[in-house]
Amino acid sequence: MKILVTGGLGFIGSHTVVALQSKGYEVVIIDNLSNSTLNVLKGITSISKKTPIFEKLDMRDKTDLKKFFLKHKDIDGVIHFAASKAVGESVVNPLLYYENNIATLTYLLQNLTELTQQNLIFSSSCTVYGEADNLPVLEEAPVKKAISPYGNTKQIGEEIIKDSCSAHSNLKAISLRYFNPIGAHPTAAIGELPSGTPQNLVPFITQTAIGKREKLSVFGNDYPTADGTCVRDYIHVMDLAEAHVVALERLISSKSEMNYEVFNVGTGVGSSVLEVVSAFEKTSGEKLNYHIVDRREGDVIAAYADTTKANEILGWKAKRTLSQALEDAWRWEQQTVLQ
Ligand code: UD1
């Protein structure tokens, strides 16, 4: 079977490509290389010993996207990652985010609804829950007003897909609400490539440990949590990648009960910032230079998933530990320095 992975050279996309290839799927990647490089394609090939079909394509170009679908009429499913994801940038340049994340999604759906039968997996985020009233957070929890245009694009994206599935019986979709993806492939052939200063915790930690950054700023230690720092559900990117394959297989084998479903993808375990720092120190043997600073605007206190729905209905469960994820992230950081 042939699967289209949009944004397939990005962090989660590239790991999902590897997970698909390991299950025998043929993969076609489209990516505009705005936040990735062709080296990722080499990394994928070195792991899988198979080179995916790659087309450099900017999905904002409606005509090019149409041409792509005319050329690849035999696609059995689509995993849609291509999007912008920097929260701060989205506040400064909201229209870029609405164009990159929403306009492109509507173009994709226009093409998919014209095909006889299509299956779509959408990258959503736990950001849709905001500060959840109850933890661990269930899929039924209310979607809270987004605090950034980026978060809004995930909420609107889910709504657009849901409406499209209601109107077009040939379209089936699953939104996966990711918690905090971290880590890298254990071979260190692919991993996360933050552009500029990392905004996310784990790349900042590994870059500090390697000496690219002077010290980690821990954003606040006066939160109402056990040690005062924020709590998140950190999931190994390979676990997350495998969840995409399982979700896609649910659509392809027509097991889904409804045309549109939503699943949390996390480990179900919450870890505080200081717990992540200490787990990193333990696994890497490096002492991390960090200091406590003021809270970061927009951070929720705690977010971790109730994964019962994914465990029971998808038959998927995260297998890797926080330490494994940090070990893989650290191996990846060390080898990027050697390049
Ligand atoms: C962030 C985004 C979220 C997005 C996700 C993508 C915000 C508010 N949220 O999630 O919408 O889906 O990235 O991966 O930006 N931390 C530090 N020091 C740092 C960096 C982070 O203390 O230098 C802390 C944060 O305060 C937070 C935790 O580490 O408590 C995780 O932060 P981060 O990796 O940025 O993820 P989220 O904020 O959860």
Side-chain angles (χ1 to χ4, degrees):
M1 284 198 152
K2 201 191 240 187
I3 308 301
L4 167 63
V5 181
T6 76
L9 296 184
F11 175 42
I12 308 169
S14 57
H15 290 80
T16 303
V17 169
V18 167
L20 284 165
Q21 289 174 317
S22 77
K23 292 283 219 111
Y25 291 96
E26 187 185 355
V27 177
V28 185
I29 295 175
I30 56 178
D31 199 301
N32 67 358
L33 300 177
S34 63
N35 199 17
S36 57
T37 72
L38 281 176
N39 277 340
V40 180
L41 201 56
K42 287 190 200 144
I44 292 171
T45 307
S46 80
I47 297 167
S48 304
K49 313 285 176 255
K50 268 180 279 186
T51 307
I53 300 166
F54 171 69
E55 289 203 22
K56 182 170 186 283
L57 195 151
D58 193 319
M59 293 179 71
R60 290 174 296 191
D61 192 324
K62 217 175 167 174
T63 317
D64 276 359
L65 192 63
K66 177 100 207 148
K67 276 193 211 145
F68 172 87
F69 276 100
L70 288 172
K71 188 168 147 199
H72 298 275
K73 289 202 174 98
D74 54 345
I75 282 170
D76 299 289
V78 180
I79 307 186
H80 179 49
F81 293 105
S84 296
K85 60 162 191 175
V87 176
E89 185 188 43
S90 80
V91 175
V92 176
N93 199 348
L95 294 178
L96 178 76
Y97 275 66
Y98 290 115
E99 186 182 29
N100 284 357
N101 298 7
I102 299 298
T104 57
L105 175 65
T106 59
Y107 300 157
L108 175 66
L109 288 164
Q110 282 163 359
N111 281 287
L112 295 187
T113 52
E114 280 169 18
L115 299 169
T116 35
Q117 176 61 54
Q118 260 316 320
N119 305 303
L120 172 70
I121 306 295
F122 177 63
S123 294
S124 189
S125 166
C126 67
T127 193
V128 302
Y129 299 120
E131 189 76 68
D133 301 322
N134 296 299
L135 289 171
V137 64
L138 282 159
E139 285 83 352
E140 295 78 51
V143 166
K144 299 265 177 82
K145 187 170 164 35
I147 49 164
S148 71
Y150 159 77
N152 214 15
T153 65
K154 293 298 171 191
Q155 298 187 358
I156 299 168
E158 285 197 12
E159 293 294 327
I160 291 173
I161 295 169
K162 191 173 169 201
D163 290 345
S164 305
C165 288
S166 305
H168 302 273
S169 57
N170 59 336
L171 180 69
K172 285 185 296 175
I174 289 179
S175 287
L176 296 180
R177 291 178 177 163
Y178 313 155
F179 282 70
N180 288 56
I182 61 164
H185 194 271
T187 59
I190 52 172
E192 193 168 4
L193 283 168
S195 54
T197 308
Q199 304 302 310
N200 295 114
L201 179 63
V202 172
F204 207 104
I205 288 178
T206 56
Q207 289 200 5
T208 304
I210 207 95
K212 276 192 208 164
R213 312 274 154 208
E214 193 209 335
K215 60 176 137 175
L216 169 76
S217 295
V218 172
F219 298 136
N221 67 348
D222 56 351
Y223 285 100
T225 60
D227 63 20
T229 62
C230 293
V231 170
R232 297 287 183 275
D233 185 338
Y234 296 93
I235 176 169
H236 195 296
V237 66
M238 281 310 297
D239 276 326
L240 178 56
E242 286 160 13
H244 288 79
V245 181
V246 173
L248 184 73
E249 286 176 343
R250 178 172 170 81
L251 295 182
I252 289 175
S253 61
S254 298
K255 281 197 195 129
S256 52
E257 284 139 30
M258 288 168 291
N259 269 9
Y260 176 71
E261 292 175 314
V262 173
F263 293 93
N264 283 341
V265 189
T267 64
V269 178
S271 306
S272 72
V273 177
L274 291 180
E275 279 170 342
V276 175
V277 168
S278 122
F280 175 79
E281 290 185 327
K282 204 166 159 203
T283 195
S284 67
E286 300 286 326
K287 187 94 195 81
L288 196 76
N289 190 15
Y290 71 87
H291 65 155
I292 310 288
V293 300
D294 286 346
R295 293 179 175 196
R296 178 172 71 178
E297 207 186 322
D299 271 342
V300 298
I301 304 164
Y304 50 96
D306 186 310
T307 60
T308 313
K309 190 176 174 194
N311 298 162
E312 291 180 357
I313 299 181
L314 283 183
W316 167 92
K317 200 174 188 339
K319 296 190 289 237
R320 296 154 180 98
T321 61
L322 175 65
S323 294
Q324 270 174 289
L326 294 170
E327 192 185 322
D328 290 336
W330 181 227
R331 192 180 300 111
W332 165 249
E333 186 67 64
Q334 287 170 293
Q335 78 77 41
T336 51
V337 159
L338 297 175
Q339 275 184 358

